[in-house]
Amino acid sequence: MSEPRLKARFRPTNSRASEDLPRPALASALLLAVIVAYGVHVLLISGPAMREAAQEQLEQTIAAEDRDICGQFGIRPGTSQFNVCSRELANVRQKQTDRVNAAAQGIF
């Protein structure tokens, strides 16, 4: 084998990694790194805040439903009757959730 061919075949150990990877592979690796970084950000930073906001929205929706339903029966918020009505609605919601979960598990 001739000397120039050997030199072309073996690169020095200090060559840059970007020269070894083709551009599409380098771009793909960079894109994958960005996607992973975004996923970690959502999971660790934004995720808990999003769950907290969703829980708060659910509580506001339930409170509005309680006011509407109990109000249809002439029960105003802030009264002891409203508290009883709200608790009963919570029981109805829990029973419905239990039925849905049981159906999903194949019990019903």
Side-chain angles (χ1 to χ4, degrees):
M1 243 179 176
S2 69
E3 178 123 358
R5 255 181 119 175
L6 283 175
K7 286 183 180 178
R9 202 179 233 183
F10 298 105
R11 294 180 185 213
T13 58
N14 62 357
S15 68
R16 291 180 28 201
S18 63
E19 293 173 356
D20 293 341
L21 288 176
R23 286 184 187 244
L26 186 61
S28 297
L30 182 61
L31 180 62
L32 181 63
V34 168
I35 290 171
V36 168
Y38 180 74
V40 168
H41 170 74
V42 168
L43 183 67
L44 299 178
I45 297 171
S46 297
M50 289 170 44
R51 282 189 295 276
E52 185 178 320
Q55 181 64 30
E56 186 175 313
Q57 179 64 35
L58 177 63
E59 290 171 1
Q60 290 174 356
T61 301
I62 289 173
E65 288 175 356
D66 287 355
R67 284 190 304 274
D68 291 343
I69 299 298
C70 295
Q72 290 176 4
F73 295 110
I75 303 171
R76 293 189 318 241
T79 63
S80 62
Q81 289 177 329
F82 181 82
N83 293 338
V84 171
C85 179
S86 181
R87 276 195 306 271
E88 288 303 316
L89 287 172
N91 288 337
V92 169
R93 287 184 189 100
Q94 184 60 50
K95 288 178 184 177
Q96 179 62 30
T97 300
D98 293 344
R99 284 191 294 273
V100 168
N101 289 340
Q105 294 176 0
I107 295 174
F108 271 148

